[in-house]
């Protein structure tokens, strides 16, 4: 059982309560974005992006945008918090896909960041990185600069599925992707790197020999970071176990095998887990002769997951299938592009504004099955901006150590260089399964406490806080389902 918390606190600390602050700013599409700093009222924002696919962003602990990146016409662009090109960022290569960018903070807390990106598969293969230094030397203070770029860590042809997740020690990072091959050999190969204060490790490979290595495939972590769902455009869907301590990927559970003969009528595009990891959502494309793209729901608790498939939405021209992403507010957002018949719709012409590309769909209660998930198409207005196929591929920057595990051995970690804003509270992980940690920007006063209520308004836990403390960790194992 996992618990998602919305806290009402009797702390003598003022200000808005925020969670997952470093992922609170999304930048995507045609100058579109969302600010999730207030998870009860996310608002559209304006960005400098002009990209149909890959994008990634990071905010500080107070939810203020630091920088973001996207691919455009085989370039990787980096933007600062003022929506200007970051110092020394141009030019950088890029593949122009959908999930090929990741931002990883330096594990030793120097206020520096890796930006991992892929180059043009089949022409300039491999994974590369740039280093972004927010301790600005030549640029405007606080806006950052690219101090290193074009550093290759592998020359393998890489699929469109680059992901990062924190090591179980809460400091280092795993960088995970898939192999691609023009010969479409059957290896189903994962590639795993470890990012530590000493640098980036050599790759480790995991082969499962049950699916084709292709450019377009996706890997999606569950919210507990114990599972990886793999999808490809030949209809393959398989869930693997993942170990945050060792980086080992194992135990494939095939939900759908690949389709090996025509018609290829199950063309998976993207996916997302629900907050409690009990439901999985997938989108399919109209490619390979299909006339419709679908939004599908799967019950991961079912004995036969494939048989639990429920179609939530279907669409044909001019509506193009895009990404689904779990957002900081616990809802899943669905992006779809406008594809004008007979006209190149990327980039959009100035006249191409409509309900399709000016809104996102929202699954409001994604842990619920069927109509109870409250899916509302085209219901989040982007403030006059437009979306394409992609949504931010942000890792969980606020993920903590795997408490109580064999790899939770680090002490006195360097604190994040972005301090908590005045009057703010950091709550993580959220959702949580075993423990919750509170960090406060100011020492708590006397007679302060945390009260936890269930969804019926009944108080189920009270924690008395020590005067002067700046953090509290408590177990939720004793809470009822």
């Amino acid at each position: 059982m996992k618990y998602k918390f919305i806290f009402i606190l009797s702390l003598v600390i003022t200000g808005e309560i925020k969670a997952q602050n470093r992922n609170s700013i999304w930048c995507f599409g045609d100058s579109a974005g969302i600010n999730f700093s207030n998870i009860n009222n996310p608002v559209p924002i304006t960005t400098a992006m002009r990209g149909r696919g890959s994008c990634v962003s990071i905010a500080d602990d107070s939810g203020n945008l630091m920088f973001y990146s996207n691919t455009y016409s085989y370039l990787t662009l980096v933007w600062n918090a003022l929506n200007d090109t970051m110092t020394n960022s141009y030019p950088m290569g890029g593949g122009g896909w959908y999930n090929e960018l990741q931002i990883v903070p330096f594990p030793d807390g120097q206020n520096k960041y890796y930006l991992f990106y892929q180059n043009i598969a089949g022409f300039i293969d491999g994974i590369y990185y740039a280093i972004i230094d927010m301790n600005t030397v030549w640029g405007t203070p606080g806006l950052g600069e690219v101090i290193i770029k074009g550093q290759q860590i592998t020359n393998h042809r890489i699929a469109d599925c680059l992901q990062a997740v924190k090591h179980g020690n809460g400091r280092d990072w795993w960088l995970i992707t898939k192999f691609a091959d023009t010969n479409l050999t059957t290896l189903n190969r994962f590639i795993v790197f470890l990012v530590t204060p000493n640098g980036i490790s050599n790759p480790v490979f995991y082969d499962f020999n049950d699916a084709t290595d292709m450019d377009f495939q996706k890997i999606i972590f569950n919210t507990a970071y114990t599972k990886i769902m793999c999808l490809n455009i030949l209809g393959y869907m398989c869930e693997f176990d993942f170990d945050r301590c060792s980086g080992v990927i194992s135990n494939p559970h095939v939900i759908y095998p690949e389709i090996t003969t025509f018609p290829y009528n199950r063309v998976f595009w993207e996916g997302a887990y629900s907050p409690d990891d009990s439901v999985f959502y997938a989108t399919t494309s109209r490619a390979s002769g299909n006339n419709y793209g679908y939004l599908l729901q799967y019950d991961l608790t079912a004995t036969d997951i494939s048989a639990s498939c429920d179609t939530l939405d279907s669409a044909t021209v001019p509506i193009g299938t895009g990404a689904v992403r779990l957002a900081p507010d616990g809802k899943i957002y669905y992006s779809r592009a406008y594809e004008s018949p007979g006209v190149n719709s990327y980039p959009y012409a100035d006249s191409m504004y409509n309900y399709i590309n000016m809104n996102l769909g929202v699954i409001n209660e994604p842990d619920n099955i069927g109509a109870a998930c409250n899916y509302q198409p085209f219901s989040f207005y982007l403030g006059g901006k437009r979306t394409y196929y992609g949504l931010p591929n942000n890792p969980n920057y606020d993920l903590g150590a795997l408490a109580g595990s064999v790899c939770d051995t680090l002490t006195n970690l360097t604190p994040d260089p972005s301090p908590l804003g005045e009057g703010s509270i950091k709550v993580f992980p959220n959702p949580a399964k075993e423990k919750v940690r509170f960090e406060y920007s100011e020492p708590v006063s006397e007679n302060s406490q945390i009260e936890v209520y269930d969804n019926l308004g009944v108080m189920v836990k009270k924690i008395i806080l020590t005067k002067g403390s700046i953090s509290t960790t408590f177990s939720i194992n004793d809470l009822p389902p």
Side-chain angles (χ1 to χ4, degrees):
M1 177 63 66
K2 294 186 70 179
Y3 300 85
K4 183 171 182 181
F5 290 87
I6 298 174
F7 291 94
I8 300 173
L9 309 176
S10 56
L11 299 172
V12 186
I13 298 178
T14 60
E16 181 180 295
I17 298 171
K18 303 174 182 179
Q20 299 186 24
N21 285 348
R22 306 211 75 180
N23 189 29
S24 63
I25 305 293
W26 283 13
C27 306
F28 59 94
D30 178 14
S31 63
I34 305 176
N35 186 337
F36 289 97
S37 292
N38 182 352
I39 59 175
N40 295 316
N41 184 34
V43 294
I45 60 173
T46 300
T47 69
M49 266 199 63
R50 298 292 189 277
R52 69 178 183 177
S54 291
C55 47
V56 66
S57 56
I58 188 169
D60 63 23
D61 275 339
S62 296
N64 302 308
L65 178 65
M66 295 179 66
F67 64 91
Y68 57 103
S69 178
N70 69 280
T71 56
Y72 177 84
S73 188
Y74 304 111
L75 291 172
T76 296
L77 306 176
V78 187
W79 309 92
N80 63 31
L82 298 181
N83 296 315
D84 292 329
T85 304
M86 184 174 282
T87 300
N88 197 35
S89 63
Y90 186 87
M92 287 167 52
W97 281 348
Y98 299 92
N99 285 358
E100 61 190 332
L101 298 174
Q102 286 286 276
I103 296 170
V104 172
F106 265 41
D108 52 1
Q110 299 180 36
N111 209 12
K112 296 180 181 178
Y113 298 82
Y114 290 104
L115 174 64
F116 292 99
Y117 59 97
Q118 296 168 220
N119 231 309
I120 308 170
F123 295 92
I124 309 174
D125 290 328
I127 301 175
Y128 296 76
Y129 71 82
I131 294 178
I132 294 169
D133 189 350
M134 298 304 291
N135 307 298
T136 304
V137 176
W138 301 109
T140 304
L143 295 182
E145 64 177 318
V146 175
I147 59 173
I148 294 175
K149 56 189 174 185
Q151 302 298 301
Q152 188 179 53
I153 62 172
T154 179
N155 61 3
H156 293 93
R157 184 170 177 141
I158 300 298
D160 178 29
C161 56
L162 192 63
Q163 299 292 343
V165 61
K166 269 190 180 177
H167 188 284
N169 63 20
R171 180 196 65 187
D172 303 333
W173 286 80
W174 298 108
L175 186 69
I176 302 167
T177 188
K178 297 289 300 295
F179 191 72
D181 182 7
T182 54
N183 296 319
L184 300 182
T185 54
T186 304
L187 285 176
N188 198 14
R189 172 174 286 187
F190 287 81
I191 308 176
V192 179
F193 300 85
L194 181 60
V195 183
T196 74
N198 295 322
I200 302 165
S201 73
N202 291 325
V204 176
F205 301 95
Y206 296 93
D207 295 346
F208 294 94
N209 297 301
D210 64 346
T212 304
D213 289 322
M214 60 180 62
D215 290 334
F216 197 93
Q217 53 181 312
K218 297 291 184 288
I219 57 176
I220 303 103
F221 279 99
N222 70 353
T223 64
Y225 296 91
T226 58
K227 303 286 185 181
I228 299 174
M229 190 72 80
C230 181
L231 308 172
N232 74 21
I233 57 174
L234 293 182
Y236 179 75
M237 178 186 285
C238 182
E239 190 175 54
F240 298 82
D241 289 343
F242 177 71
D243 188 327
R244 281 180 60 199
C245 289
S246 64
V248 170
I249 301 168
S250 62
N251 300 325
H253 174 206
V254 177
I255 299 169
Y256 291 111
E258 274 189 351
I259 298 172
T260 57
T261 59
F262 188 84
Y264 301 101
N265 56 3
R266 192 172 62 241
V267 184
F268 287 123
W269 181 266
E270 278 273 22
Y273 282 88
S274 71
D276 71 359
D277 292 332
S278 66
V279 184
F280 186 76
Y281 296 85
T283 60
T284 68
S285 173
R286 298 195 314 269
S288 299
N290 293 301
N291 292 323
Y292 286 85
Y294 296 95
L295 172 62
L296 306 175
Q297 181 195 67
Y298 294 90
D299 182 356
L300 297 181
T301 69
T303 302
D304 185 342
I305 295 174
S306 62
S308 75
C309 179
D310 188 9
T311 300
L312 301 181
D313 196 359
S314 64
T316 188
V317 176
I319 301 175
T321 300
V324 281
R325 289 283 188 274
L326 179 62
D329 61 357
K331 301 177 182 181
I332 290 177
Y333 289 74
Y334 180 22
S335 180
R336 285 185 281 184
Y338 173 65
E339 299 175 347
S340 180
V343 177
N344 182 9
S345 298
Y346 178 71
Y348 289 133
D350 290 342
S351 60
M352 291 180 178
Y353 284 86
N354 53 52
Y355 77 96
I356 297 169
N357 59 19
M358 295 173 68
N359 295 275
L360 298 179
V362 183
I363 304 171
N364 291 282
E365 303 290 340
D367 290 328
N368 296 334
I369 296 296
C373 75
N374 190 16
Y375 165 63
Q376 300 295 328
F378 307 113
S379 58
F380 186 90
Y381 179 58
L382 294 172
K385 307 306 177 182
R386 298 177 290 189
T387 187
Y388 285 100
Y389 305 95
L391 289 173
N393 190 33
N394 297 349
N396 186 347
Y397 302 111
D398 297 319
L399 188 64
L402 195 57
S405 72
V406 295
C407 60
D408 182 21
T409 58
L410 299 178
T411 59
N412 299 321
L413 291 180
T414 302
D416 192 287
S418 302
L420 285 167
E422 182 178 358
S424 63
I425 301 168
K426 183 177 180 181
V427 182
F428 62 94
N430 191 18
K433 190 173 184 180
E434 296 179 349
K435 294 181 179 180
V436 174
R437 181 174 177 81
F438 277 38
E439 293 182 357
Y440 327 120
S441 61
E442 305 165 18
V444 300
S445 64
E446 195 172 1
N447 300 321
S448 295
Q449 62 191 35
I450 297 171
E451 297 176 359
V452 182
Y453 293 82
D454 65 17
N455 59 355
L456 298 178
V458 177
M459 187 169 67
V460 293
K461 196 176 189 70
K462 179 189 291 185
I463 301 95
I464 305 299
L465 303 181
T466 303
K467 180 181 179 180
S469 64
I470 58 172
S471 65
T472 303
T473 301
F474 60 91
S475 172
I476 57 172
N477 286 329
D478 56 335
L479 295 182

